Amino acid sequence: MKRIKGVLFDFDGVLIDSLPVMKQAWESTIKTHSLKKEFNEFSKFIGIPFYSILENLDIDRNKHNLIKDSYSKEARKNINLITLNPYVKYILNWLNCNNIKVAIVTSKDIDRTQELIEFLNLKIDLLVTPELTSKGKPDPEPLYYATKNLSIEMQEALFIGDMLSDMKAAYRANCKYLHYLCGYQKVDFIPYGGNINSLLEIKEYVSLL
């Protein structure tokens, strides 16, 4: 088994807790645009690109851009409500010190993600957002993009996610996968990969390979 040379992280739910901001932004957006899709419906699709969420909610495509603008504007106003999950800085520093590359593979748009990375002072080697690939998770394309641009093989990568869309992307890419159980989507059974309760467990997993 090849050693891990790169760790790919989902963003929302794994590295950051942004759920309060998502909820507030969506509730404001549905009022602005008179939508009848409550946050509990929206939250079922967290982890896939925003426009794909709107499609899954059967919202008129002609309104997608306006809705996204409203949502992003509201989310930016409440950036201070977003917090890092436990041990994020520690594990990113440990990976860096051990010459293991780090990428964020997210369904959040590039502008908002870059703002948050700077706001939270996160040190990473690569950011992969929906603008960079033709398909988003659960398609494996974002993982292929990440490994190619980190100059590592898929067998040398480990993906950390918290949604079934993350797990499916890893499975389809044949990428090692750990499901973060403290994230947003609770699952009773992990059909692919393993699971962790703390990001600290990544250190143990990587060290054993």
Side-chain angles (χ1 to χ4, degrees), residues 29 33 51 61-71:
T29 300
H33 297 278
Y51 288 125
R61 284 192 177 189
N62 293 324
K63 298 180 179 179
H64 282 195
N65 287 337
L66 289 175
I67 290 170
K68 186 177 186 297
D69 288 344
S70 296
Y71 180 88

Side-chain angles (χ1 to χ4, degrees), residues 184-201:
Y184 292 157
Q185 189 163 38
K186 310 303 178 186
V187 292
D188 297 323
F189 173 68
I190 309 294
Y192 178 76
N195 61 77
I196 53 175
N197 286 291
S198 167
L199 296 180
L200 287 178
E201 295 176 61

Side-chain angles (χ1 to χ4, degrees), residues 18-69:
S18 55
L19 203 59
V21 173
M22 290 187 203
K23 187 173 188 295
Q24 193 281 333
W26 184 250
E27 289 177 347
S28 173
T29 300
I30 61 176
K31 289 180 182 177
T32 300
H33 297 278
S34 301
L35 304 175
K36 296 181 179 179
K37 302 292 182 179
E38 299 300 326
F39 183 71
N40 64 331
E41 297 175 83
F42 176 91
S43 64
K44 294 176 184 177
F45 302 105
I46 292 173
I48 65 175
F50 190 81
Y51 288 125
S52 297
I53 294 178
L54 298 184
E55 288 181 6
N56 277 286
L57 293 174
D58 295 321
I59 293 174
D60 185 352
R61 284 192 177 189
N62 293 324
K63 298 180 179 179
H64 282 195
N65 287 337
L66 289 175
I67 290 170
K68 186 177 186 297
D69 288 344

Side-chain angles (χ1 to χ4, degrees), residues 172-190:
R172 292 167 181 171
N174 195 26
C175 180
K176 296 178 184 69
Y177 178 75
L178 292 176
H179 194 85
Y180 182 53
L181 296 174
C182 296
Y184 292 157
Q185 189 163 38
K186 310 303 178 186
V187 292
D188 297 323
F189 173 68
I190 309 294

